[in-house]
């Protein structure tokens, strides 16, 4: 299998390192707006080479993995699926617009391509997926992170919140997943994952808090449905390279890639 990884930051570099060790992966194409970063990653691997853009190797590629931003994901999704190439998305917030998401789904079916979305930095998505068969009444996600994770966010600035001066757990947002994904694009990809798998962006309720007394990225998922009730607690160790990214989010993508290249689907 030949794969293209878009984005060579903390997520992309870890995925590339893992893919480099998979015997089923024959070639890795790297794309990044920061060419020196891509070159450095390529030099550390055995199967990688840097290309200028996604289109350059689409005819020779079996799978594209997006590890960049929502904007990049929105841009490359249509062109990748239109070529009949499979794609894995990590910036899941790119799919918040219902019409856009449906257009991608329709084009993927038409062109025989697949769109993969890893479970990300949260546990319990298997139960959420299964529970939709019988109907769900409520889905609530509570995300709590260290204040530093929210630095530089325009929403926080507009609210007049001084992140550096938070002394106790402070709720920054309470509302729908649709709002949360747009206001916190680099913090709550899990909200998008849960919404797509469950009852949608407008019925999934999100609470986001900053807590100076924790060192993990914490997600609590509560589901009430015909099956009963489900509650999961995920305490994620942040990536040492990028604290805004949880290690589990990267691990889930690596695990998904392993299942794809081996064509093994246990617990689907």
């Amino acid at each position: 299998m030949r794969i293209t990884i878009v984005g060579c930051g903390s997520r992309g570099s870890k995925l590339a390192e893992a893919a480099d060790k998979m015997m089923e992966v024959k070639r890795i194409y790297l794309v990044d707006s920061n060419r020196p970063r891509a070159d450095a990653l390529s030099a550390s691997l055995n199967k990688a080479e840097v290309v200028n853009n996604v289109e350059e190797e689409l005819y020779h590629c079996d799978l594209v993995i997006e590890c960049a931003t929502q904007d990049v994901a929105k841009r490359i999704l249509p062109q990748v699926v239109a070529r009949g190439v499979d794609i894995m998305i990590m910036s899941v917030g790119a799919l918040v617009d219902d019409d856009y998401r449906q257009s991608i789904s329709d084009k993927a079916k038409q062109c025989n391509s697949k769109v993969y979305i890893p479970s990300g930095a949260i546990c319990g998505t298997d139960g959420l997926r299964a529970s939709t068969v019988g109907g769900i009444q409520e889905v609530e996600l509570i995300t709590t992170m260290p204040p530093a994770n929210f630095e530089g966010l325009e929403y926080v600035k507009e609210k007049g919140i001084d992140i550096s001066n938070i002394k106790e757990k402070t709720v920054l947002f309470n509302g729908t997943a649709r709002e949360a994904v747009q206001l916190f694009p680099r913090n709550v990809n899990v909200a998008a994952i849960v919404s797509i798998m469950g009852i949608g962006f407008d019925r999934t309720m999100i609470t986001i808090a900053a807590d100076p007394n924790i060192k993990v990225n914490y997600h609590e998922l509560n589901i009430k449905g015909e099956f009963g009730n489900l509650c999961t607690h995920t305490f994620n160790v942040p990536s040492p390279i990028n604290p805004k990214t949880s290690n589990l989010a990267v691990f889930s993508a690596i695990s998904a890639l392993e299942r794809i290249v081996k064509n093994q689907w246990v617990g689907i």
Side-chain angles (χ1 to χ4, degrees):
M1 175 175 280
R2 294 156 297 184
I3 68 174
T4 296
I5 296 178
V6 184
C8 299
S10 59
R11 299 179 300 179
S13 60
K14 288 296 184 184
L15 260 167
E17 290 168 5
D20 200 52
K21 299 174 183 176
M22 297 179 187
M23 62 177 294
E24 296 87 356
V25 175
K26 305 305 180 185
R27 199 67 182 158
I28 304 168
Y29 305 110
L30 302 175
V31 179
D32 197 293
S33 58
N34 184 336
R35 182 63 183 246
R37 179 166 64 181
D39 287 336
L41 177 58
S42 177
S44 69
L45 304 175
N46 296 313
K47 305 174 185 176
E49 67 176 275
V50 180
V51 296
N52 294 319
N53 51 61
V54 175
E55 299 96 318
E56 189 171 322
E57 295 297 338
L58 271 184
Y59 284 115
H60 308 101
C61 181
D62 303 296
L63 173 70
V64 173
I65 305 177
E66 176 277 318
C67 303
T69 65
Q70 288 186 23
D71 288 339
V72 171
K74 289 176 186 176
R75 177 172 55 82
I76 69 173
L77 260 166
Q79 53 189 302
V80 173
V81 297
R83 290 281 184 88
V85 177
D86 298 342
I87 184 168
M88 183 192 300
I89 296 294
M90 294 195 71
S91 302
V92 193
L95 299 172
V96 66
D97 182 270
D98 297 332
D99 291 336
Y100 174 79
R101 189 172 67 255
Q102 187 61 52
S103 71
I104 294 297
S105 178
D106 292 342
K107 179 60 72 172
K109 291 176 183 177
Q110 176 186 339
C111 299
N112 197 31
S113 62
K114 301 180 183 67
V115 178
Y116 298 104
I117 301 176
S119 56
I122 191 168
C123 298
T125 53
D126 53 344
L128 172 60
R129 181 175 57 238
S131 65
T132 60
V133 176
I136 302 176
Q137 285 80 53
E138 298 176 14
V139 176
E140 177 191 34
L141 175 67
I142 302 171
T143 291
T144 307
M145 297 179 174
N149 285 30
F150 303 102
E151 286 180 355
L153 278 177
E154 195 60 36
Y155 170 82
V156 174
K157 294 178 182 178
E158 291 175 357
K159 290 293 183 180
I161 301 171
D162 184 358
I163 290 296
S164 62
N165 199 38
I166 291 180
K167 305 300 183 185
E168 58 185 17
K169 183 177 179 180
T170 302
V171 173
L172 303 179
F173 173 85
N174 197 316
T176 67
R178 191 177 301 280
E179 296 173 284
V181 168
Q182 294 170 326
L183 296 174
F184 299 82
R186 292 184 177 273
N187 301 96
V188 288
N189 271 311
V190 291
I193 295 168
V194 167
S195 299
I196 292 171
M197 294 185 71
I199 55 178
F201 286 89
D202 295 315
R203 292 178 60 198
T204 303
M205 303 308 297
I206 310 294
T207 298
I208 301 172
D211 188 345
N213 299 309
I214 66 171
K215 296 182 179 180
V216 298
N217 299 331
Y218 167 63
H219 302 292
E220 177 183 333
L221 178 63
N222 297 297
I223 305 167
K224 180 185 292 185
E226 184 179 322
F227 74 98
N229 298 321
L230 181 151
C231 178
T232 69
H233 301 267
T234 310
F235 299 86
N236 287 301
V237 175
S239 163
I241 303 173
N242 179 8
K244 295 180 181 179
T245 298
S246 300
N247 275 337
L248 186 60
V250 180
F251 295 164
S252 74
I254 294 173
S255 174
L257 178 58
E258 288 177 340
R259 284 178 286 160
I260 292 169
V261 300
K262 294 179 184 297
N263 199 25
Q264 293 179 350
W265 306 95
V266 179
I268 62 172

